[in-house]
Amino acid sequence: TMLKLRTACTTEIDDVALAVDDILAQIGKNGALCKNSVGIFSCYFEFLENGFVTALCKRLPFDVIGNTVMGSATNDKAGLEMFSLAVLTSDDVNFSTVFSSSIDADNVEQCIADAYGTARSKLTSAPAFMLALAPTMKNLSGAVILEQLDLASHGVPTFGSLSNDSVLTMEHARTVWNGEIHSTKLALLLVEGAVTPRFFISSISARNIFQYRAKITDAEKCIIKHVNDLTAREYFLSLGLNEDDLHSVPILVDYADGTRPIAAHVYGTTEEGYALCGAETPIGSTLMIGKMDYHGVLSTAEEVLEQALSETDIHGILMFPCYSRILVLSPRAEDEMEKIRTLVGTIPFWLSYSGGEMCPVSNKDHTFNRFHNLSYVLCVF
């Protein structure tokens, strides 16, 4: 079985027809595609507003899912205001895509069960893995969306990303399916066949993790209530952090199940002094605090790429680094992408910055779907 990856990209925002022709030419430059193909793209929001994405989807002879992002890259180019497309193509691997109905906190379970069921019904067997492009929503965490996907699919390995935007309000954040553009729908791609995806993760550099270790003594989903029996706010303040720091604390959470710790963002605290986090923080986990800096971002990218590239039989790599990494690198925002392009060389890859990363983690017995922040996740196939 062979699953191949072809990529195409453009920064041409003004001339839609020219940009569409250019993308089609790039996809075709290595000859015809295999029997089955599917597209995954990410782009600067203006590529949706100028009609380019809708025009391109009409011309492509296969399903396409996509989202808006702050930056993307392929072997040919990296940029913050770019359109980048990955085409998966194979003679013996099957693809199925779906756009969910509009998700909110009340219907998330039903929406995702229905969407997964629709996509799964087009395949003859369970998918080898799936790729999810989820909406960024104020009242619904990506961790909840992933939890429902995991339940609906009975644990199919899920790799994915949340849409994001070049402004922090995320007002332009969108997901797309076959040219249909939405702010609260989930785009899903199921991959069926003899494919062996391998997943790699890095987050906060080991030298940027402080020596404090504490127990999460009370929590619910993505909310840390108590740490060492203090409220989360009291605990953070006891370490010498001030109130302003509590809107941007990078943390690591060790679930104590033999898997690697998850990186998460603390987005702020509630009136009760509980911490609102970007990933799940179960009771009994160990909490660590870290920081992110320019050197840490580049060194973790290099470390995880070395691991991934040491695999044999690589046909392509899909990558979702967290967009917080771009913010840390600023004003040299493209340095991580350029370093990755250099290190990967000629192996086809597609990179899209993420508002929250979905990537499986394993211990010696099991694989679990987990939601991450501040991380750089890779899928090698």
Side-chain angles (χ1 to χ4, degrees):
T1 297
M2 279 274 275
L3 179 58
K4 296 182 191 145
L5 174 64
R6 291 194 190 178
T7 61
C9 60
T10 183
T11 51
E12 174 56 65
I13 273 179
D14 300 320
D15 188 331
V16 167
L18 180 72
V20 169
D21 288 343
D22 182 24
I23 291 291
L24 294 172
Q26 288 178 55
I27 297 168
K29 73 172 184 250
N30 294 324
L33 294 170
C34 302
K35 189 174 71 169
N36 305 321
S37 298
V38 71
I40 312 155
F41 76 83
S42 59
C43 68
Y44 183 57
F45 74 93
E46 280 188 23
F47 284 99
L48 299 183
E49 296 193 343
N50 69 2
F52 166 80
V53 163
T54 311
L56 178 66
C57 289
K58 281 199 178 100
R59 298 272 304 274
L60 291 171
F62 45 76
D63 280 0
V64 189
I65 67 169
N67 66 2
T68 54
V69 302
M70 200 177 201
S72 62
T74 67
N75 304 71
D76 295 324
K77 208 181 232 172
L80 301 181
E81 298 182 359
M82 195 157 87
F83 170 91
S84 303
L85 174 70
V87 179
L88 298 176
T89 188
S90 174
D91 285 326
D92 46 15
V93 173
N94 296 313
F95 307 109
S96 172
T97 69
V98 70
F99 216 14
S100 73
S101 49
S102 189
I103 297 174
D104 62 46
D106 299 325
N107 71 7
V108 58
E109 195 171 339
Q110 193 62 51
C111 266
I112 288 177
D114 290 349
Y116 179 79
T118 301
R120 172 69 181 82
S121 69
K122 300 175 201 166
L123 301 175
T124 52
S125 61
F129 74 104
M130 61 181 168
L131 197 137
L133 297 179
T136 290
M137 299 171 69
K138 290 221 169 13
N139 61 344
L140 189 66
S141 148
V144 174
I145 292 175
L146 178 59
E147 178 187 36
Q148 294 304 328
L149 274 171
D150 189 62
L151 285 169
S153 69
H154 304 293
V156 168
T158 303
F159 186 72
S161 171
L162 264 58
S163 55
N164 56 92
D165 187 12
S166 51
V167 293
L168 293 177
T169 53
M170 298 293 163
E171 64 197 77
H172 306 295
R174 298 288 184 273
T175 50
V176 182
W177 176 75
N178 291 343
E180 188 188 327
I181 299 163
H182 215 277
S183 58
T184 59
K185 292 186 174 184
L186 166 77
L188 264 189
L189 159 62
L190 277 52
V191 180
E192 174 194 36
V195 186
T196 312
R198 288 144 287 170
F199 301 102
F200 298 87
I201 304 168
S202 69
S203 55
I204 298 168
S205 169
R207 65 177 191 89
N208 284 344
I209 299 165
F210 302 114
Q211 74 273 25
Y212 316 111
R213 300 280 184 279
K215 262 293 179 270
I216 297 177
T217 44
D218 189 16
E220 187 181 347
K221 300 246 187 251
C222 302
I223 300 170
I224 302 177
K225 296 183 175 179
H226 293 99
V227 180
N228 290 354
D229 298 320
L230 301 169
T231 66
R233 180 193 275 121
E234 288 166 344
Y235 174 71
F236 289 134
L237 296 179
S238 77
L239 299 180
L241 297 175
N242 60 42
E243 287 284 347
D244 293 339
D245 297 332
L246 300 186
H247 293 279
S248 59
V249 186
I251 60 171
L252 282 162
V253 183
D254 187 336
Y255 285 32
D257 60 4
T259 59
R260 55 169 299 138
I262 299 297
H265 217 111
V266 174
Y267 290 107
T269 53
T270 65
E271 285 175 15
E272 302 92 339
Y274 302 161
L276 304 168
C277 303
E280 298 222 4
T281 54
I283 295 172
S285 301
T286 299
L287 177 69
M288 294 161 270
I289 292 179
K291 68 173 177 140
M292 289 181 77
D293 59 20
Y294 180 91
H295 177 82
V297 167
L298 293 187
S299 67
T300 52
E302 195 166 341
E303 282 161 25
V304 76
L305 256 182
E306 268 177 22
Q307 288 173 27
L309 294 171
S310 69
E311 290 284 313
T312 52
D313 201 31
I314 301 177
H315 303 287
I317 311 176
L318 306 174
M319 313 180 180
F320 293 123
C322 183
Y323 79 91
S324 60
R325 298 167 72 91
I326 284 189
L327 303 178
V328 170
L329 294 174
S330 190
R332 295 170 61 180
E334 295 178 26
D335 282 12
E336 181 175 39
M337 291 189 278
E338 291 301 348
K339 184 173 196 97
I340 289 164
R341 283 184 62 221
T342 306
L343 291 169
V344 172
T346 57
I347 296 168
F349 85 90
W350 174 82
L351 177 153
S352 165
Y353 275 95
S354 166
E357 301 77 61
M358 301 179 193
C359 187
V361 299
S362 300
N363 60 21
K364 57 184 197 302
D365 305 315
H366 292 286
T367 296
F368 308 89
N369 285 316
R370 290 265 159 90
F371 192 76
H372 314 254
N373 301 153
L374 316 174
S375 300
Y376 169 25
V377 301
L378 300 87
C379 172
V380 173
F381 57 85

